[in-house]
Amino acid sequence: MRHRLTIIFWLVVLPLMAVSEPRVISGEDVRLAIIDRLTQAGEHAAPNVLPEKQFYICDQPLEVHPAFGSWRSVSVLCPSPVEWKILVRAQVKGADLPDAQVNDAAIMQAVFLNRPLRRGDRIQSGDVELRPIDPLSSASIFADPGDVIGRVLAQSMTTRMPLMPRHLVREWAVEAEDPLSLVILRGGIQVVSTGVALEAGQFGDTIRVSNAASGVELLGKVVGDKKVEIVAKTLR
C-alpha cells in the first residue's frame, strides 16, 4: 500500500507541485486572448464574454484556435495544470479561413520552443526550432532563433505557441540617464545632437529625453541602441 501511494505521489502530486503560480482565468483574460490572437491573424474580434466571469485554473498562456473551419467561433484552450477548453463566438464577420495553397513563398515560419520552459529560464540554442505557421503580423512573432537565444522567459511556455515579445523579459535599448544620440528630421535633413534619457525604453517605445545643450525636455522614439528620433516637445 505504501509503495502504491509513493507511485501516485510521483506520478500525480509532484508534477502539480512543480507548476508555478496557477490562477483562475477570468472572462477578461479570455476576451483579451481572443482579441490578441485574431489581431495576429489580421481579423478584428469583439467576443461577447463577461469580464467578471470566472473559468478554471491555468498556469500557461491561453491558446486560441479557429473552430469549425472559421474564426467566427474559436476554441480557447489551457494546456496546464489540467487541460480544459471552451468555445466562444468571436463576433468576426467574413472570417472564413482561406483555402490552403501550396506556395512556399507564402509560408511563414516562427520560432517555437521544442520543450516546455518555466518563467525565469534562459533560452538556449537547443531549446528552439522553426515551424511553419499561418501568416501573422511581423511584429508579433520571431522568425529568427537568434532573436530569442539568450533571452529570459517572462512566463512559463509550452511548445504549442510561437514565441512573441510579450513572452520574454523586456530588454531595454535605452536606460534612464543614458547618454543618447538625438536625431531630428527637418525638411528631409537629419540633425544629430546629444541628450540624456529621462526613462528607459525598448525599440519602438516613445520616451522622455532631455537635450544636453538646452535642457529642453522632448519626446522621442527609440530607433536604436541609445539612439532616439525626436517626435515632439513635452507638454508641461
Side-chain angles (χ1 to χ4, degrees), residues 42-72:
E43 304 289 353
H44 296 285
N48 187 17
V49 185
L50 292 175
E52 64 273 15
K53 183 176 176 60
Q54 299 291 294
F55 288 94
Y56 311 105
I57 288 178
C58 188
D59 63 1
Q60 299 287 342
L62 294 175
E63 300 175 15
V64 180
H65 305 281
F68 316 118
S70 169
W71 284 116
R72 290 191 179 94

Side-chain angles (χ1 to χ4, degrees), residues 79-128:
S80 174
V82 177
E83 183 173 306
W84 54 264
K85 180 171 68 174
I86 59 174
L87 290 177
V88 180
R89 288 188 62 82
Q91 306 294 338
V92 177
K93 292 185 178 181
D96 292 331
L97 292 176
D99 294 334
Q101 296 181 358
V102 181
N103 183 353
D104 292 339
I107 295 176
M108 286 190 66
Q109 288 196 315
V111 178
F112 287 76
L113 293 178
N114 58 26
R115 67 186 183 96
L117 293 178
R118 299 172 68 178
R119 187 180 73 172
D121 286 346
R122 189 174 296 277
I123 299 172
Q124 307 298 323
S125 59
D127 296 331
V128 294

Side-chain angles (χ1 to χ4, degrees), residues 189-210:
I189 299 175
Q190 178 175 290
V191 178
V192 179
S193 62
T194 58
V196 177
L198 300 179
E199 54 190 339
Q202 292 192 113
F203 293 106
D205 286 349
T206 298
I207 63 171
R208 294 180 302 113
V209 300
S210 175

Side-chain angles (χ1 to χ4, degrees), residues 172-219:
W172 304 112
V174 172
E175 296 279 0
E177 300 185 1
D178 274 351
L180 302 173
S181 294
L182 305 182
V183 179
I184 304 171
L185 297 176
R186 292 177 178 171
I189 299 175
Q190 178 175 290
V191 178
V192 179
S193 62
T194 58
V196 177
L198 300 179
E199 54 190 339
Q202 292 192 113
F203 293 106
D205 286 349
T206 298
I207 63 171
R208 294 180 302 113
V209 300
S210 175
N211 184 294
S214 65
V216 173
E217 189 173 306
L218 306 165
L219 288 178

Side-chain angles (χ1 to χ4, degrees), residues 12 67 171 177:
V12 178
E171 287 191 341
E177 300 185 1

Side-chain angles (χ1 to χ4, degrees), residues 214-230:
S214 65
V216 173
E217 189 173 306
L218 306 165
L219 288 178
K221 181 179 180 181
V222 179
V223 295
D225 189 27
K226 295 181 175 54
K227 185 176 181 180
V228 171
E229 183 178 304
I230 301 303

